[in-house]
C-alpha cells in the first residue's frame, strides 16, 4: 500500500543509550521492582559513568598538553551520589547557590576545589570565602561586596575569577551576544581599580565566560578575549593563572543523525500543512507558516550533534582566535595559562535515566494514542529544554513489541498544558497500564532541575545503580558513598 505524504508519520527519534543502560533495562525484574517499591517517576543515576566522562575531558588536556581544572556544574543535577563521586575523584564542582555550596561541602569536596558562580547573596559570598572556594564574580559591584565582606570578617584572601561578556569583534563578523551575566570586556579597567582597592582581600585567579551557545566562532572570540584580558591584568601587576570557559559542551542525544534531519524536514512540512500533524495542536517549536512559507526559528536543542562533550572542547581549542589567527590551544600553551572548564550536561551523558509508569491509554487525534503517565512535564523535562527523543517501552508482561504506534504523553497534573511531549513519540507497541517508559539520558537538567510538588504530586526518588557481577547493586541516592563496592 502506498502512503500519501499527508498520512505518513514523522521518523522516530531513537535515543542513544549506553550498553550499561541497555543491560539494566533488559533485566526482567529490577526496573519494575524499583518503581513498584519507590514509586513513579523514579530517577536512576550511574555515578561511575560521571567519572568516565570527566576522564574523557582529561584526555583532551593530555593530548593538547594543557593544564587546568574541571568543575562539574552541579546545577544540572541534584544527586548527592554524583557529587560524592566527584568528591572522591579529585575533580571540582561549580556551585551556583549557597544550597549547592553547602551540599558540595557536605559531600566531601574541599573548598579549594569549588568554583562559586551565578548570582550571589552575602551568605553565598561569605561561605565561599570561609571555605576557600574561588569566587567567579559577575560584576564590579559583586567584587566590591566580596572585598568588603572579607575585610569586615577578617577572612583569608579569596581567589576571584572575573566573568566577562560582550567581547569586541574587531574586523570580524562574529556576534558576541549580550548576557545578563558578566562585566563587559571593555570595562576591565573598572575591575582592575576594584582589585587594587582590595589587594589584601582579593587575589585575581583569572578571567572567565560562559556562553549559552553551540557556536564555535562565538566561543573562540570569547576565549581569545579572556586571554587578552588576562594579559592586560598581568601588565597591571596581577598574577592570574587561568581562564575559565564555563560549560556548554553538550550531548548528542540521538543514535542516528539522519533521523534528526528528516524529523526537522517533516516538521517543516507539517507546519506548512503539507504533512499530517505530528505535534499536539500543530505546535511548531518556534516555526509557523506565513503565506506559504515557514517563518521563525526552530527553538529546540540540536538532538543530534556531530561534536559534543570532550570532542566539542577539542574542536573549540583547534579554532583560531579571530584577532590573532592562532589556534586557541597554541595560545594557551604559549602563554602558560591554565584552562578551567565547568561542564554540566556533558559530564552527565549517559549518567541518568528516568522510569515512569503508564497509567492509562486512550485514542488520540489523527490515529495517535494518548498515554497518561504517572509523572508530569517537570519530572521529565526534556521537552521543556527542547530535547526531542522517544522513550523506550518496558512491557510488564515481557511480550516483545508488535505494532509501532504514535503517542502523545500526558502528565499527571490537572493542567491542560501538562504534556511530557508535544510531539507524537514513537513507541514499538501500544503500552498498557502498568508498563514502564524509560526516558534515556535525563541526568543533565531533565530529571530534577524543574521538578516541583505543585498539586502535591510525589517528587521522584533518586537511586544510584552500578553493575555488580551478573546483576546490579542499587541504593537510595543519599545512601551512596564512593567507598561502595570497595573490598
Ligand atoms: C556559569 C555556568 N557554568 C557552567 C554551566 C553548565 O553548562 P552546561 O550544563 O551546558 O555544560 C552553566 C549553565 O548554565 C553556567 O551558567
Amino acid at each position: 500500500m502506498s502512503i500519501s505524504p499527508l498520512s505518513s508519520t514523522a521518523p522516530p527519534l531513537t535515543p542513544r543509550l549506553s550498553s550499561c543502560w541497555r543491560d539494566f533495562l533488559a533485566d526482567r525484574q529490577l526496573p519494575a521492582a524499583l518503581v513498584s517499591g519507590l514509586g513513579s517517576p523514579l530517577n536512576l543515576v550511574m555515578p561511575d559513568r560521571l567519572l568516565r566522562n570527566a576522564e574523557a575531558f582529561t584526555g583532551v588536556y593530555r593530548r593538547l598538553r594543557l593544564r587546568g581544572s574541571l568543575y562539574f556544574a552541579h546545577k544540572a543535577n541534584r544527586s548527592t551520589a554524583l557529587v560524592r563521586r566527584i568528591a572522591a575523584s579529585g575533580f571540582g564542582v561549580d556551585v551556583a547557590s549557597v544550597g549547592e555550596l553547602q551540599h558540595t561541602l557536605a559531600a566531601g569536596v574541599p573548598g579549594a576545589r569549588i568554583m562559586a558562580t551565578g548570582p550571589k547573596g552575602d551568605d553565598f559570598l561569605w561561605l565561599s570565602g570561609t571555605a576557600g572556594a574561588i569566587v567567579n564574580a559577575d560584576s564590579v559591584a559583586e567584587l566590591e561586596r566580596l572585598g568588603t565582606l572579607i575585610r569586615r570578617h577578617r577572612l583569608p584572601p579569596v581567589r576571584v575569577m572575573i566573568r566577562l561578556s560582550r567581547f569586541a569583534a574587531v574586523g570580524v563578523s562574529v556576534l558576541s551576544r549580550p548576557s545578563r551575566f558578566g562585566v563587559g570586556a571593555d570595562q576591565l579597567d573598572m575591575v582592575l581599580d576594584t582589585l587594587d582597592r582590595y589587594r589584601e582581600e582579593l587575589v585575581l585567579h583569572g578571567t572567565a565566560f560562559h556562553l549559552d551557545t553551540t557556536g564555535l566562532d562565538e566561543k573562540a572570540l570569547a576565549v581569545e578575549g579572556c586571554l587578552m584580558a588576562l594579559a592586560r591584568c598581568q601588565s597591571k601587576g596581577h598574577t592570574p593563572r587561568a581562564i575559565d570557559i564555563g560549560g556548554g559542551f553538550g550531548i548528542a542525544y540521538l543514535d542516528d543523525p539522519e533521523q534528526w534531519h528528516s524529523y526537522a524536514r517533516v516538521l517543516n512540512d507539517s507546519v506548512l500543512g503539507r504533512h499530517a500533524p505530528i505535534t499536539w495542536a500543530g505546535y511548531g517549536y518556534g516555526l509557523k507558516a506565513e503565506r506559504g512559507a515557514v517563518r521563525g526559528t526552530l527553538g529546540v536543542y540540536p538532538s543530534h550533534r556531530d561534536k559534543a562533550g570532550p570532542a566539542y572542547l577539542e574542536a573549540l581549542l583547534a579554532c583560531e582566535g579571530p584577532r590573532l589567527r592562532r589556534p586557541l590551544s597554541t595560545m594557551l600553551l604559549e602563554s602558560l595559562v591554565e584552562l578551567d572548564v565547568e561542564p554540566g550536561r556533558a559530564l552527565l551523558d549517559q549518567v541518568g535515566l528516568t522510569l515512569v509508569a503508564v497509567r492509562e491509554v486512550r485514542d488520540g487525534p489523527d490515529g495517535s494514542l494518548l498515554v497518561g503517565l504517572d509523572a508530569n512535564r517537570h519530572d521529565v523535562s526534556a521537552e521543556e529544554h527542547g530535547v526531542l527523543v522517544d522513550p523506550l517501552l518496558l512491557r510488564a508482561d515481557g511480550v516483545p513489541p508488535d505494532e509501532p504506534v504514535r503517542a502523545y504523553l500526558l502528565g499527571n497534573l490537572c493542567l491542560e498544558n501538562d504534556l511530557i511531549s508535544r510531539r507524537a513519540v514513537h513507541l514499538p507497541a501500544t503500552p498498557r497500564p502498568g508498563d514502564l517508559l524509560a526516558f534515556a539520558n535525563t541526568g543533565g537538567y531533565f530529571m530534577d532541575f524543574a521538578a516541583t510538588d505543585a498539586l502535591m504530586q510525589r517528587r521522584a526518588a533518586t537511586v544510584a545503580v552500578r553493575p555488580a557481577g551478573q546483576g546490579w547493586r542499587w541504593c537510595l541516592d543519599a545512601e551512596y558513598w564512593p567507598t561502595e563496592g570497595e573490598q
Side-chain angles (χ1 to χ4, degrees):
M1 185 183 75
S2 73
I3 302 174
S4 81
L6 264 175
S7 64
S8 67
T9 59
L13 294 174
T14 313
R16 249 181 74 239
L17 195 66
S18 69
S19 55
C20 219
W21 283 119
R22 264 180 219 292
D23 292 347
F24 175 84
L25 295 178
D27 188 296
R28 286 281 297 112
Q29 261 99 45
L30 188 56
L34 286 173
V35 173
S36 142
L38 297 167
S40 164
L42 180 67
N43 293 325
L44 306 167
V45 292
M46 286 198 195
D48 290 343
R49 175 71 194 220
L50 173 64
L51 213 56
R52 211 175 109 191
N53 293 342
E55 280 158 4
F57 273 88
T58 317
V60 176
Y61 280 70
R62 243 193 332 270
R63 281 194 289 288
L64 300 176
R65 293 179 292 124
L66 294 175
R67 292 164 54 89
S69 305
L70 178 146
Y71 299 88
F72 165 51
H74 189 332
K75 63 166 71 78
N77 198 294
R78 289 167 178 245
S79 157
T80 297
L82 296 180
V83 184
R84 286 187 185 152
R85 195 75 200 86
I86 287 284
S89 73
F91 293 107
V93 180
D94 152 20
V95 294
S97 71
V98 71
E100 284 186 4
L101 174 56
Q102 287 172 288
H103 185 219
T104 301
L105 290 168
V109 181
R113 283 186 3 224
I114 297 177
M115 173 81 72
T117 60
K120 300 174 200 72
D122 283 357
D123 49 357
F124 191 11
L125 289 176
W126 178 83
L127 192 56
S128 301
T130 53
I134 300 177
V135 174
N136 201 317
D138 246 330
S139 64
V140 173
E142 185 184 317
L143 268 187
E144 188 82 49
R145 262 193 306 127
L146 178 64
T148 313
L149 212 103
I150 300 296
R151 192 173 284 172
R152 190 178 335 123
H153 290 267
R154 297 181 207 282
L155 294 179
V158 172
R159 291 171 297 159
V160 292
M161 280 265 174
I162 308 302
R163 181 163 168 177
L164 300 172
S165 64
R166 303 190 297 280
F167 297 93
V170 174
V172 279
S173 53
V174 179
L175 173 80
S176 183
R177 74 190 69 197
S179 166
R180 58 167 272 202
F181 296 107
V183 182
D186 55 352
Q187 292 176 340
L188 191 62
D189 284 352
M190 284 166 67
V191 170
L192 290 168
D193 287 349
T194 312
L195 290 174
D196 280 344
R197 272 183 286 115
Y198 292 99
R199 281 220 171 241
E200 302 298 316
E201 290 80 16
L202 307 178
V203 178
L204 183 63
H205 187 71
T207 52
F209 72 86
H210 167 81
L211 290 174
D212 240 347
T213 173
T214 55
L216 286 171
D217 288 349
E218 199 179 336
K219 287 204 176 169
L221 175 69
V223 173
E224 193 185 58
C226 273
L227 282 169
M228 288 164 60
L230 202 89
R232 173 145 178 80
C233 296
Q234 283 164 339
S235 75
K236 294 284 177 185
H238 294 274
T239 52
R241 51 189 285 183
I243 63 163
D244 175 349
I245 64 171
F249 304 98
I251 287 183
Y253 287 97
L254 293 183
D255 224 8
D256 174 6
E258 190 40 42
Q259 281 187 348
W260 179 242
H261 300 309
S262 53
Y263 186 84
R265 276 195 299 273
V266 173
L267 180 64
N268 230 50
D269 286 350
S270 154
V271 167
L272 285 174
R274 294 187 192 144
H275 190 287
I278 58 170
T279 57
W280 185 255
Y283 185 68
Y285 291 101
L287 303 180
K288 57 179 185 206
E290 251 177 48
R291 283 185 245 122
V294 173
R295 301 265 183 250
T297 317
L298 187 57
V300 297
Y301 187 88
S303 289
H304 167 71
R305 293 182 57 159
D306 286 331
K307 292 214 173 351
Y312 180 89
L313 173 63
E314 202 153 2
L316 173 62
L317 295 175
C319 292
E320 287 185 345
R323 281 176 189 243
L324 302 175
R325 291 274 159 223
R326 321 216 30 227
L328 298 174
S329 60
T330 311
M331 289 202 255
L332 281 162
L333 263 181
E334 288 177 353
S335 52
L336 300 176
V337 170
E338 292 177 14
L339 178 73
D340 293 349
V341 289
E342 301 164 359
R345 189 194 294 260
L347 284 189
L348 293 168
D349 189 18
Q350 301 294 336
V351 167
L353 180 138
T354 301
L355 293 173
V356 174
V358 173
R359 268 187 174 172
E360 60 158 341
V361 180
R362 287 181 271 142
D363 286 337
D366 308 309
S368 65
L369 293 176
L370 298 182
V371 177
L373 299 178
D374 203 357
N376 61 61
R377 70 192 173 103
H378 305 298
D379 295 317
V380 184
S381 57
E383 165 89 21
E384 194 170 318
H385 285 86
V387 170
L388 311 183
V389 278
D390 293 331
L392 303 157
L393 174 64
L394 306 186
R395 293 179 111 179
D397 58 12
V399 175
D402 34 32
E403 209 172 317
V405 293
R406 297 184 315 120
Y408 291 102
L409 305 179
L410 311 182
N412 59 9
L413 297 180
C414 184
L415 290 175
E416 193 64 68
N417 66 357
D418 185 22
L419 268 80
I420 290 173
S421 172
R422 280 176 292 195
R423 62 175 270 275
V425 300
H426 280 244
L427 295 174
T430 300
R432 295 192 208 120
D435 287 351
L436 297 181
L437 294 188
F439 292 85
N441 230 344
T442 50
Y445 298 104
F446 308 156
M447 61 170 50
D448 54 23
F449 189 81
T452 88
D453 40 24
L455 307 200
M456 299 174 79
Q457 305 276 24
R458 177 197 303 116
R459 282 175 68 157
T462 300
V463 161
V465 291
R466 69 178 175 84
Q470 296 303 304
W472 297 90
R473 293 279 301 269
W474 69 270
C475 63
L476 287 174
D477 184 56
E479 305 305 324
Y480 173 94
W481 290 95
T483 48
E484 249 294 277
E486 287 174 3
Q487 299 304 320

